[in-house]
Structures are given as C-alpha cells and as structure tokens.
Amino acid sequence: HLSIRRQRQMCIRDRGAHSEALAAGAAQRPQREGTNALNWLNITQLFRLQAAIKLDLPSRRKAIRDCIHRFSSFNYEVPMLNAQRTPAATSLLTERHDWSVSEVEALLNQPLNDLLFRAHQVHREHFDPNTVQLSTLLNIKSGGCPEDCAYCPQSARYNTGVESEALLDVDTVLNAARQAKAAGASRFCMGAAWRAPKDRDIVKVAELIEAVKGLGLETCVTLGMLKPQQATRLKHAGLDYYNHNLDTSPEFYGEVITTRTYQDRLNTLDAVRDAGISVCCGGIVGMGEGISDRAGLLCTLANLPVHPESVPINQLVRVEGTPLADEAPIDCFEVVRVIAAARVMMPKAYVRLSAGRKELGDAGQALAYFAGANSIFYGEQLLTTANPLVDEDRALFGKLGITAGTSHTH
C-alpha cells in the first residue's frame, strides 16, 4: 500500500536508471537520427503517470507497472536506412558469385516496393545515394561493322543510314573530351564499330587514350573482341575501363547475334581483367527476351570471378532498318527491376542507366536512381542514338537533389 507519491518516486527512479543506461550505450556508438524518439518516450510515460494518479488504487498500480514495463522493454534502436547493420542486414550485402537463375527470377518477380527497398538499402551501404557518375560517349569510328547484332544500326548488313567512317584524329577527340569535362563528365568513353581491332588500330587508339588521360579524365573504350596482348597495350596507354557487353543470357543470345559466340565475349572479358583493366559489362532489355533471360544475364555477370566495376543496363532503342525495329516496347518498371536486381547482386558496381533513358522519362529515371543506378551517359548523343540533353539532365538532377560525382574505382 505505497503512497501515490512513493509510487511516482519509484517509477521516476526506474526511468532515471534506464536513462543512465541509455546514455552509457549512446556514448559507445555514433549519434544518428532517431534519438528524439527517446524524448518522445519520456513525455509519453509522464502523461501515463499523470493519468494513473486519477485511477482507483488497483487500476493505478497496474497502470504504473505497465508504464515501467513499457519503458524498460523499449527498443532504443530506431529503424533507419542508415542504421547500424544487423546480421540479417549484413547478409543482404555480401558479395556473391553463386547465384542461380531461379533465385534471380524470384528476385525480379518480387513486389516492386520490396525489390526497391532491398536494392536501396544495398545502394546506401556502398554509395552516396544522391551522387551520380557522369560519362560521355564518343563514336570514334562509325559504321561498317561485319557483325549481325540485331539491335545495332552500325552493322553493315542493315540499311539504317549510318555511313562507314574512318577513325577520328586526336585533335577531334581531344576537343570533344574537353567539352565533356567542361560539362561535368568524369569519364570519357570511345566506341569503334569493329568486330575485332587490328594491332595497327590498337596503336592509334592507344594514342587517343593517352591524350584524353592527359586532360585528367578517366578513359573507357569499346572496340570489339580483344586479344590478351592488345588489352595489355591499352593498359599501358592508361586505359581505365573496357566495355564489352554480354547483351543477354547465353540461351537467348543466338536469337540476337550469330557472328560472335557468347564464349568469344567471355574470353575478351578475361583478357581485359588479366591486363588489369576495369571491366564495364552489362546488357540490353527489351529485345524480346523473357524474365528467365534477364535473370540469366544477371547471373552470368554476378557469377564472374570478379564483379564488373561498371554494369550498363540498356533499354532497346528501336532503329529503323534493324531486325528489332518493330520489337514491342517495354515499360519503365521492367528496366527498373533489372537495375534493382543488378544493384542487389553486384553491390559495389556502378550500375549505369545507359541507352534508352529518353524513353524512360523523368519519373522512370528518378525511380531507376532510387533502385541503384548511379552512372549515366551524359550528352545528347550516344554512338548513333539520341540521349537526353545536358540541360535536361541538370534540371532533373536539380529536382531530385542529385549531384555529379566521380567513381572510386581508380
């Protein structure tokens, strides 16, 4: 039969003990958002105590015991995107190289909000979610490619209006690189429409790489299939990245390309990796492939011995004259799902929102950035297809609070 005053003193004493324990714990970990929840808890429990005073004695005792129990069992760890990792959360972030196609299909088929939540958690663990790396792509040798890639307007097999042109000279490339740097790009990518460059071509491209590196830009080239000695020569010239996409799954690959095997592509990736060059490798969605093919592509990429440092995800740009010109368009959510899955499976890679950004629109791009895309091609022209204007990208970045950044691979 304690007095009301004594009961209040006991409750306040208990609350003080828990506050001291909390303070001791807080001193051992970094301060972060969410600690105001404790202040709100204190206020809530005081109101409960005041309300208890007005009750009859048995009800008052029960209310005060409930108050103390609530306070003592409160979990001070407030769930946040930046919260300290738990074992369960850590397991989501582990780099893996043993994905199965069925597992990735299940990932791609998750409810979109669940997939986005998981991908965004992983993204925040490894990157600033409000920073996007900017690359600019220049076509240094256009058209005349002997390959039969069904999506490509540079193939000599299709009448697309793309003329075969010689390799650009150093001054022309340097001028474009200076403009790209002035616009905010940190990486300058150069593409040439070859099946496989000859050694004399490698010598000329090496000169371009050395010139662009002299401007303080990262360099990337895509030239087709490479021999090991050619990759080594490019590395000595200062090449940072080599792009060679797998395009799709091994199973669907033959529906898109017949003049180069899937293993040819994997061999080039091996040569690039062995030379010490960072790998840029991704694929294309919207070519008529199924979910299992998208899963197969992502599996192949994520199960490589080392994840690609850069993973471009392209949406098919349908070009008149190519076999895929009449392929049915896909909606932005399908692209976003692939980006989110890539982020989950390759947590440290830069996932590039590549060709097809114009078709996504602002809302689709914003969703892709949330899903984990943190790199884009910046500039109004890709190899042969249009890209959003620089001013449009700057306006969208301003709306979303995104800033341009550089990669931390080099």
Side-chain angles (χ1 to χ4, degrees):
H1 299 284
L2 297 174
S3 68
I4 292 175
R5 178 173 299 188
R6 179 60 176 155
Q7 291 174 25
R8 291 176 66 184
Q9 286 173 345
M10 290 176 64
C11 187
I12 291 170
R13 183 193 65 194
D14 264 292
R15 190 177 73 244
H18 285 293
S19 296
E20 290 174 6
L22 176 66
Q28 298 176 16
R29 64 177 181 267
Q31 186 75 10
R32 63 173 183 269
E33 275 183 70
T35 54
N36 283 339
L38 176 62
N39 297 329
W40 175 248
L41 179 72
N42 289 339
I43 294 169
T44 302
Q45 302 315 312
L46 286 173
F47 276 120
R48 287 178 183 275
L49 283 170
Q50 289 174 349
I53 293 170
K54 301 176 183 178
L55 301 174
D56 59 85
L57 185 59
S59 299
R60 186 163 59 243
R61 287 173 178 168
K62 182 180 183 302
I64 292 173
R65 283 197 302 270
D66 180 63
C67 167
I68 294 173
H69 173 73
R70 284 173 179 270
F71 196 93
S72 61
S73 62
F74 180 72
N75 180 8
Y76 299 110
E77 294 297 326
V78 180
M80 298 225 12
L81 288 176
N82 285 326
Q84 191 172 0
R85 293 184 193 176
T86 64
T90 301
S91 67
L92 294 177
L93 307 174
T94 305
E95 283 195 53
R96 290 178 48 191
H97 302 268
D98 60 350
W99 294 88
S100 69
V101 172
S102 60
E103 186 179 8
V104 182
E105 281 190 69
L107 182 66
L108 288 167
N109 284 322
Q110 280 187 324
L112 183 60
N113 282 340
D114 294 344
L115 178 56
L116 288 175
F117 177 73
R118 183 176 177 184
H120 194 72
Q121 281 184 306
V122 174
H123 189 44
R124 278 183 175 268
E125 286 293 334
H126 297 284
F127 296 97
D128 179 346
N130 298 310
T131 299
V132 171
Q133 184 273 328
L134 306 180
S135 297
T136 293
L137 177 61
L138 177 67
N139 194 348
I140 59 172
K141 191 276 173 192
S142 180
C145 181
E147 302 272 26
D148 67 352
C149 306
Y151 54 80
C152 186
Q154 300 207 75
S155 172
R157 298 165 182 257
Y158 313 133
N159 183 20
T160 62
V162 176
E163 299 294 333
S164 180
E165 297 177 358
L167 187 70
L168 297 180
D169 59 69
V170 173
D171 288 340
T172 301
V173 172
L174 272 179
N175 183 53
R178 290 189 186 99
Q179 292 180 33
K181 184 176 181 180
S186 62
R187 186 180 309 161
F188 192 72
C189 307
M190 296 169 275
W194 288 313
R195 169 180 163 79
K198 298 179 175 58
D199 288 344
R200 64 174 180 269
D201 299 322
I202 294 294
V203 172
K204 295 177 181 178
V205 173
E207 293 176 0
L208 298 178
I209 293 168
E210 291 169 353
V212 173
K213 285 286 286 186
L215 299 178
L217 288 165
E218 287 185 324
T219 54
C220 176
V221 297
T222 178
L223 312 173
M225 294 184 291
L226 280 188
K227 300 173 185 175
Q229 65 271 23
Q230 293 177 325
T232 300
R233 176 68 183 89
L234 295 176
K235 173 63 177 178
H236 289 164
L239 183 65
D240 297 304
Y241 288 82
Y242 192 87
N243 168 259
H244 199 64
N245 290 334
L246 293 178
D247 290 345
T248 187
S249 68
E251 294 75 17
F252 191 70
Y253 183 81
E255 300 295 318
V256 182
I257 304 153
T258 66
T259 53
R260 184 191 313 189
T261 68
Y262 210 77
Q263 189 59 49
D264 287 335
R265 292 179 182 269
L266 293 172
N267 291 344
T268 292
L269 295 182
D270 286 342
V272 169
R273 181 67 72 192
D274 290 344
I277 301 169
S278 292
V279 171
C280 175
C281 184
I284 307 170
V285 294
M287 298 188 295
E289 76 286 345
I291 295 295
S292 63
D293 295 308
R294 294 171 191 171
L297 167 66
L298 292 171
C299 264
T300 305
L301 292 169
N303 290 344
L304 290 170
V306 179
H307 290 164
E309 284 77 9
S310 182
V311 180
I313 302 298
N314 300 271
Q315 179 179 353
L316 175 69
V317 178
R318 295 166 294 161
V319 179
E320 190 68 31
T322 64
L324 292 178
D326 297 323
E327 188 64 39
I330 60 174
D331 66 45
C332 73
F333 301 115
E334 295 184 68
V335 179
V336 168
R337 285 180 180 277
V338 174
I339 288 170
R343 170 53 66 220
V344 170
M345 297 170 69
M346 293 166 279
K348 297 181 180 178
Y350 279 81
V351 179
R352 178 175 298 123
L353 185 55
S354 198
R357 274 204 302 126
K358 281 182 71 72
E359 286 73 13
L360 283 180
D362 284 359
Q365 289 183 66
L367 202 56
Y369 295 136
F370 185 84
N374 60 343
S375 177
I376 62 169
F377 277 128
Y378 189 60
E380 61 189 64
Q381 183 74 22
L382 298 181
L383 291 177
T384 57
T385 56
N387 202 41
L389 299 175
V390 168
D391 288 344
E392 293 175 356
D393 283 328
R394 287 174 177 165
L396 180 58
F397 280 13
K399 293 176 185 177
L400 302 179
I402 288 176
T403 58
T406 58
S407 73
H408 53 59
T409 304
H410 298 282

